[in-house]
């Protein structure tokens, strides 16, 4: 079920983000792999993109199911 998968992945992402302190999340250049930005910026970007994708997928799926149910 897509909704269950979304909830599970959301819980996992929140757990990973919560494992960082505020300093670790928001200090720019703290980690070499983040370049000039912060881990928090990556987290915001990745979660936003993920949820946008999930919402679009759910909307498309629900429209397809509505058409199937009507036909």
């Amino acid at each position: 079920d897509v909704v269950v998968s979304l909830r599970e992945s959301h819980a996992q992402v929140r757990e990973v983000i919560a494992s960082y302190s505020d300093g670790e999340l928001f200090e720019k250049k703290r980690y070499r792999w983040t370049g000039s930005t912060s881990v928090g910026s990556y987290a915001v970007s990745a979660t936003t993109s993920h949820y946008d994708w999930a919402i679009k997928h759910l909307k498309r799926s629900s429209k397809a199911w509505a058409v199937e149910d009507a036909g």
Side-chain angles (χ1 to χ4, degrees):
D1 178 65
V2 174
V3 175
V4 171
S5 293
L6 178 60
R7 287 185 178 142
E8 288 174 355
S9 66
H10 176 69
Q12 292 169 346
V13 167
R14 286 180 53 97
E15 190 175 310
V16 169
I17 293 170
S19 71
Y20 287 89
S21 70
D22 284 349
E24 291 169 326
L25 279 173
F26 299 110
E27 181 182 333
K28 292 182 178 184
K29 300 180 184 180
R30 183 176 184 111
Y31 301 102
R32 183 179 297 166
W33 63 268
T34 64
S36 63
T37 192
S38 66
V39 173
S41 292
Y42 278 101
V44 168
S45 177
T47 55
T48 302
S49 297
H50 176 74
Y51 298 133
D52 284 345
W53 171 86
I55 289 166
K56 288 176 187 173
H57 185 72
L58 289 169
K59 284 181 181 179
R60 269 188 261 133
S61 296
S62 66
K63 286 179 185 176
W65 294 327
V67 169
E68 286 178 15
D69 289 344

